[in-house]
Amino acid sequence: MESSGRHVTGPAGGTPGTRVQEAGDGGPDPLEAEFQRLIDADQRIEPRDWMPDAYRSTLIRQIAQHAHSEIIGMQPEGNWITRAPSLRRKAILMAKVQDEAGHGLYLYCAAETLGVDRAELIDRLHAGRQKYSSIFNYPTLTWADVGAIGWLVDGSAITNQIPLCRCSYGPYARAMVRVCKEESFHQRQGFELLYALAHGTPAQRAMAQDAVDRWWWPSIMMFGPPDQESTHTAQSMAWGIKRFSNDELRQRFVDMVAQQIVALGLTPPDPALRWNAERGHFDFGECDWEELRRVVRGDGPCNRERLAHHIKADEEGAWVREAAAAYAAKQAARAAA
Amino acid sequence: MSNDARLPLWEVFVRSRRGLSHNHVGSLHAADAEMALRNARDVFTRRMEGISIWVVPSTAITASSPDEKDAFFDPAGDKAYRHPTFYTIPKDVQQL
């Protein structure tokens, strides 16, 4: 028996993921073989199971990046809460932004089962050692952007997240099930908002078109670089973390929005977008990958602002956490007396 | 995040409706049990997913070790006679 249900892995409670490799052992490692057998049988890996160090570090990187994205993603939409055009829209937007906070917390909790501390992940984000989705480095210039984010950005996120519900790592898969259930409202409210604008006054319609024009390509690039340039895909697929490649998911997303934009009555900002009966998919134009690389490197329109805001919120909230901890210590001391 | 302000971790269990037991849904950080309950309500029951919540300090949980998994659960492995299907009953016997 070991003392805790968490954060203790490996024999003798050693550093997570470490193990003693017997020298000269040329045969297949039994721990690794058992791990791969579970993956191949489509079973889930659970926190205290043995796992290769690289599997653990890949998951920490991916889940933390996903969690940071949910939290940073609150900023572009939070920008419009005080200026929502009606009480109905305001209540919806507040609920959505609150959901994003919740999604971030589900994901930090999944990452912590791998033996890292949330505070450390946040430190890594602040130091620029972990990233968040580059989509949130674009500004929300008009109210219609809230609709475009819900429809396109959340639509892209859902396409990416649905296969993650079957990810080989149990806590991540379970978090994604909750997230996906909640995301579908996000996408629908965005579509409905854009639909209302697209069927409103000429100025509203122009605003909707402008927002779709600006968010279309960044949303398509959210799936990451093309398959031949994607450095993590092959290993992640072998480990059952990823089920489909970037380009497969991208095609799935384009097929979905290409039809939905017709219902909105807006024009896709891609002259190459057309149905290809032979492939059974929509063809679409080439993404500006140089732009994606630029934004990922830190030169998007809002990179510095997003991180600075997160650091400020963390620092300004420090006294609240300290006061809560001091109060808890005082109460515990009184109860003990 | 400063080191001195790291709040302890709590495991959260939610009873989704009457007649069901509490199920583990995840974990969160909070300074004390009362705040852990309030945070759990906000994080895990925004859509009426629960009618009762338990929070337990993560450090209070004792778990079986995965390294001993085989030895630990083996004793049940060879006791098929604990299952009703182990027994042969004539076909024409009803309700047994």
Side-chain angles (χ1 to χ4, degrees):
Chain A
M1 290 284 186
E2 289 172 87
S3 61
S4 163
R6 305 168 68 97
H7 301 183
V8 184
T9 38
T15 315
T18 58
R19 77 200 137 99
V20 181
Q21 185 80 50
E22 279 127 77
D25 159 352
D29 179 70
L31 288 170
E32 182 130 28
E34 171 63 6
F35 169 82
Q36 198 59 49
R37 189 192 66 78
L38 288 172
I39 301 256
D40 295 342
D42 208 19
Q43 295 272 315
R44 298 291 174 266
I45 303 300
E46 293 296 344
R48 303 177 72 234
D49 290 339
W50 182 87
M51 60 187 88
D53 288 348
Y55 177 82
R56 184 185 300 275
S57 59
T58 295
L59 276 169
I60 291 174
R61 178 182 56 77
Q62 180 172 336
I63 301 173
Q65 174 168 335
H66 198 158
H68 298 328
S69 301
E70 301 283 355
I71 299 297
I72 297 287
M74 294 165 73
Q75 291 183 39
E77 292 182 289
N79 180 35
W80 281 93
I81 289 178
T82 56
R83 293 172 289 165
S86 69
L87 200 51
R88 176 177 183 269
R89 292 289 179 197
K90 188 183 208 136
I92 291 168
L93 186 54
M94 283 197 295
K96 179 177 190 296
V97 173
Q98 196 189 10
D99 271 358
E100 307 299 359
H103 296 175
L105 292 175
Y106 305 155
L107 287 158
Y108 283 126
C109 142
E112 287 191 307
T113 64
L114 291 159
V116 284
D117 190 81
R118 184 178 74 189
E120 192 190 332
L121 299 177
I122 291 169
D123 286 342
R124 288 187 206 169
L125 170 71
H126 289 172
R129 286 161 53 216
Q130 280 180 343
K131 291 184 164 51
Y132 54 88
S133 174
S134 54
I135 193 80
F136 301 115
N137 289 319
Y138 292 89
T140 39
L141 303 177
T142 72
W143 169 250
D145 287 25
V146 172
I149 289 182
W151 175 48
L152 292 172
V153 175
D154 290 319
S156 169
I158 292 170
T159 309
N160 197 32
Q161 286 165 354
I162 285 174
L164 286 174
C165 296
R166 293 187 292 123
C167 162
S168 62
Y169 188 58
Y172 191 26
R174 292 192 284 275
M176 292 324 300
V177 170
R178 296 183 71 90
V179 169
C180 285
K181 266 188 203 162
E182 300 182 356
E183 285 283 354
S184 72
F185 126 65
H186 297 182
Q187 197 190 13
R188 287 174 71 112
Q189 66 83 36
F191 185 90
E192 187 207 62
L193 192 167
L194 277 181
Y195 189 92
L197 291 175
H199 294 78
T201 64
Q204 288 172 330
R205 187 181 166 73
M207 190 198 277
Q209 181 68 55
D210 167 65
V212 168
D213 288 350
R214 284 181 289 108
W215 289 94
W216 183 270
W217 287 107
S219 302
I220 291 176
M221 290 195 282
M222 272 176 74
F223 297 94
D227 290 350
Q228 65 270 23
E229 290 172 35
S230 177
T231 44
H232 304 298
T233 294
Q235 181 61 74
S236 286
M237 288 179 90
W239 278 333
I241 297 174
K242 205 166 169 169
R243 301 272 175 174
F244 301 97
S245 76
N246 294 356
D247 287 335
E248 285 172 306
L249 293 169
R250 191 179 346 267
Q251 180 70 62
R252 194 175 291 185
F253 172 68
V254 169
D255 287 347
M256 183 175 79
V257 292
Q259 298 180 62
Q260 290 169 349
I261 198 169
V262 176
L264 285 173
L266 297 174
T267 309
D270 177 3
L273 185 74
R274 67 174 60 86
W275 177 250
N276 181 330
E278 205 174 301
R279 289 203 308 128
H281 291 290
F282 280 86
D283 288 338
F284 56 104
E286 190 60 32
C287 299
D288 181 355
W289 299 115
E290 191 38 51
E291 177 183 319
L292 179 69
R293 280 188 284 271
R294 202 164 55 238
V295 181
V296 169
R297 270 202 312 270
D299 290 329
C302 304
N303 294 55
R304 276 164 285 271
E305 180 188 335
R306 298 290 186 239
L307 208 52
H309 183 87
H310 194 274
I311 291 170
K312 180 166 170 273
D314 186 44
E315 285 171 355
E316 290 179 353
W319 73 269
V320 179
R321 295 190 294 275
E322 281 159 22
Y327 177 78
K330 192 170 92 179
Q331 293 300 110
R334 272 193 196 159
Chain B
M1 234 181 211
S2 54
N3 272 319
D4 54 342
R6 293 187 183 192
L7 303 174
L9 193 64
W10 302 75
E11 300 299 323
V12 181
F13 301 78
V14 172
R15 181 199 296 287
S16 56
R17 57 186 165 85
R18 291 185 176 281
L20 297 180
S21 56
H22 288 75
N23 272 338
H24 183 243
V25 291
S27 64
L28 48 76
H29 291 269
D32 57 34
E34 197 185 335
M35 282 191 70
L37 268 184
R38 284 174 179 273
N39 291 354
R41 178 199 61 187
D42 293 342
V43 176
F44 294 106
T45 62
R46 285 194 303 283
R47 288 176 175 78
M48 316 272 295
E49 291 98 332
I51 55 161
S52 165
I53 300 176
W54 290 346
V55 291
V56 180
S58 301
T59 50
I61 291 179
T62 305
S64 61
S65 162
D67 306 317
E68 297 168 356
K69 189 179 65 193
D70 292 343
F72 194 67
F73 294 106
D74 262 358
D78 57 356
K79 296 177 180 61
Y81 45 84
R82 284 174 173 163
H83 298 277
T85 47
F86 179 76
Y87 300 92
T88 311
I89 306 290
K91 276 194 181 6
D92 51 352
V93 178
Q94 301 290 308
Q95 296 185 316
L96 184 71

